[in-house]
């Protein structure tokens, strides 16, 4: 599975952005998908995850109620809608895939993910 994230940019605090992650391959629906982020000098942080069917979602405490993850298996696409953005949301955002069968849910550990896309920068100004 190859992943390509897009949609990052510069936004003012309180604004919104929508990130997308396009996946290649015919087995996209076999994977749970997740978003992580990494700010300068910090460890990679779990943001959100969605199950292979889209029926289950899970969020990190810092984004709960502000971010929404979704997926479209017909289009091999996973999205992250980010609302009420804060300067502390500034980071490089990465999408990642974890083969769903037999794996732990939710996939919050970045070292356990199977595939990664290149990141997209999100900068929130105060």
């Amino acid at each position: 599975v190859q992943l390509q994230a897009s949609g990052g940019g510069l936004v003012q605090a309180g604004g919104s952005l929508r990130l997308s992650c396009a996946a290649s391959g015919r087995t996209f629906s076999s994977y749970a998908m997740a978003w992580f982020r990494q700010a300068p000098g910090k460890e990679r942080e779990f943001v959100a995850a969605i199950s292979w069917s889209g029926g289950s979602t899970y969020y990190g405490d810092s984004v709960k109620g502000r971010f929404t993850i979704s997926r479209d298996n017909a289009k091999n696409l996973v999205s992250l809608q980010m609302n009420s953005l804060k300067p502390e949301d500034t980071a490089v955002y990465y999408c990642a895939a974890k083969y769903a069968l037999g794996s732990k849910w939710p996939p919050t550990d970045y070292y356990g993910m199977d595939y990664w896309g290149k990141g997209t920068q999100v900068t929130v100004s105060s």
Side-chain angles (χ1 to χ4, degrees), residues 29-79:
S29 60
S30 298
Y31 290 83
M33 299 297 297
W35 288 92
F36 292 79
R37 66 187 183 186
Q38 190 165 18
K42 295 189 176 181
E43 281 202 357
R44 197 162 292 192
E45 175 191 15
F46 170 78
V47 176
I50 189 165
S51 63
W52 64 272
S53 66
S56 297
T57 57
Y58 188 80
Y59 297 91
D61 288 341
S62 60
V63 307
K64 206 171 295 183
R66 300 187 297 122
F67 291 11
T68 302
I69 189 171
S70 60
R71 69 187 294 162
D72 185 338
N73 285 345
K75 296 181 179 179
N76 282 14
L77 195 67
V78 62
S79 299

Side-chain angles (χ1 to χ4, degrees), residues 11-16 66 82-87 89 124-126:
V11 64
Q12 287 189 334
S16 298
R66 300 187 297 122
M82 306 186 294
N83 298 329
S84 302
L85 283 161
K86 304 175 181 180
D89 294 318
V124 184
S125 63
S126 56

Side-chain angles (χ1 to χ4, degrees), residues 92-104:
V92 178
Y93 283 70
Y94 300 88
C95 61
K98 176 70 176 175
Y99 187 65
L101 185 62
S103 65
K104 184 191 79 165

